[in-house]
Amino acid sequence: MGARADGELRRVRREDLLPLPLEVAPRLLGARLRTIVDGAEVVLRITEVEAYHGKGVGDRHDPGSHARMGRTARNATMWGEPGHLYVYLSHGIHSCVNVVCGPDGVAGGILLRAGEVVSGIDVAAVRRAAGTQRRIIPDPVRGSGLAAADSPASWSGAGRDLARGPGRFGQASGLRHPQHDGIDAVTGAEHAGAHAELWLGEPLAEYASGPRVGVAGHAGTDAFPWRFWIPGDPSVSAFRWGRGAAEAAAALDTPGIGSVLE
């Protein structure tokens, strides 16, 4: 990807990410994240994001944010310079990638929730296969099952699923917690054997918004319609309520899961 790749894209600048995440998040739809990890390059077109604000940020407290209680060792990257990537571990398994936004010292991040692999599909497929659970293949001679790792040749996942959901997106990118937490996507500087670059295109004329996926309680309702996605894109992940969020939404009498904005 060279300067003004495809005639539309340009490298992100630090000032592009100075506004709070809620303002920046829709701007990242259609953008590209380019990573080079251990010499292997992948480019992902971003199709779905979620905004998260830290303690004391914006006009309301965000109870769904990792930084809701203040600065900790885990969320320290969220409080730093915009343009770095906050890479955290979800459920002890999945490395998830967030773009840090807002002024230095003000916590905020945008979760890169889903995308399409537009370059490096073979690399992403190998990473996806390596991350899937080992499966049992019957052995007709021994009459028992033998464990065998999936390979790109045997993996049956559709291309749309390579980066569909934040865990898969992180897996496809090759970025891992904790070694790549804090990598700079503005300068593209090397960090623990990896490089990351964020490229912006023209703002989309239309996008959809709704409650964040799998976020518990009030923070996962239409009171926080802070998930944004490209309508109709097959790589966008399915909506699901977080623990207690459906009940909280019913109490608010706002049980919808999204709307299209122009």
Side-chain angles (χ1 to χ4, degrees), residues 74-153:
R74 181 197 191 195
N75 67 36
T77 299
M78 292 182 72
W79 297 83
E81 187 179 40
H84 292 261
L85 302 183
Y86 169 48
V87 183
Y88 72 88
L89 198 64
S90 175
H91 303 295
I93 302 171
H94 305 295
S95 292
C96 299
V97 180
N98 302 255
V99 177
V100 175
C101 295
D104 194 352
V106 176
I110 299 170
L111 175 64
L112 304 183
R113 199 181 155 80
E116 175 196 8
V117 180
V118 295
S119 179
I121 291 177
D122 290 346
V123 174
V126 168
R127 290 171 178 165
R128 176 82 178 100
T132 56
Q133 194 172 32
R134 292 173 68 85
R135 54 193 174 84
I136 301 299
I137 300 177
D139 187 312
V141 176
R142 298 171 61 182
S144 62
L146 295 178
D150 284 332
S151 67

Side-chain angles (χ1 to χ4, degrees), residues 74-251:
R74 181 197 191 195
N75 67 36
T77 299
M78 292 182 72
W79 297 83
E81 187 179 40
H84 292 261
L85 302 183
Y86 169 48
V87 183
Y88 72 88
L89 198 64
S90 175
H91 303 295
I93 302 171
H94 305 295
S95 292
C96 299
V97 180
N98 302 255
V99 177
V100 175
C101 295
D104 194 352
V106 176
I110 299 170
L111 175 64
L112 304 183
R113 199 181 155 80
E116 175 196 8
V117 180
V118 295
S119 179
I121 291 177
D122 290 346
V123 174
V126 168
R127 290 171 178 165
R128 176 82 178 100
T132 56
Q133 194 172 32
R134 292 173 68 85
R135 54 193 174 84
I136 301 299
I137 300 177
D139 187 312
V141 176
R142 298 171 61 182
S144 62
L146 295 178
D150 284 332
S151 67
S154 65
W155 181 62
S156 61
R160 72 167 195 167
D161 291 329
L162 281 175
R164 190 171 185 246
R168 292 175 181 176
F169 189 101
Q171 194 172 62
S173 76
L175 300 177
R176 292 291 173 266
H177 170 87
Q179 59 265 43
H180 299 132
D181 181 31
I183 192 170
D184 193 345
V186 173
T187 66
E190 188 273 338
H191 182 102
H195 300 265
E197 300 171 359
L198 188 61
W199 293 70
L200 291 181
E202 293 299 318
L204 297 185
E206 182 180 277
Y207 58 86
S209 71
R212 296 173 296 194
V213 177
V215 176
H218 181 67
T221 71
D222 272 326
F224 291 87
W226 291 4
R227 172 185 173 228
F228 304 91
W229 67 93
I230 299 175
D233 194 287
S235 68
V236 172
S237 59
F239 178 80
R240 62 177 176 81
W241 294 110
R243 185 181 66 255
E247 294 80 0

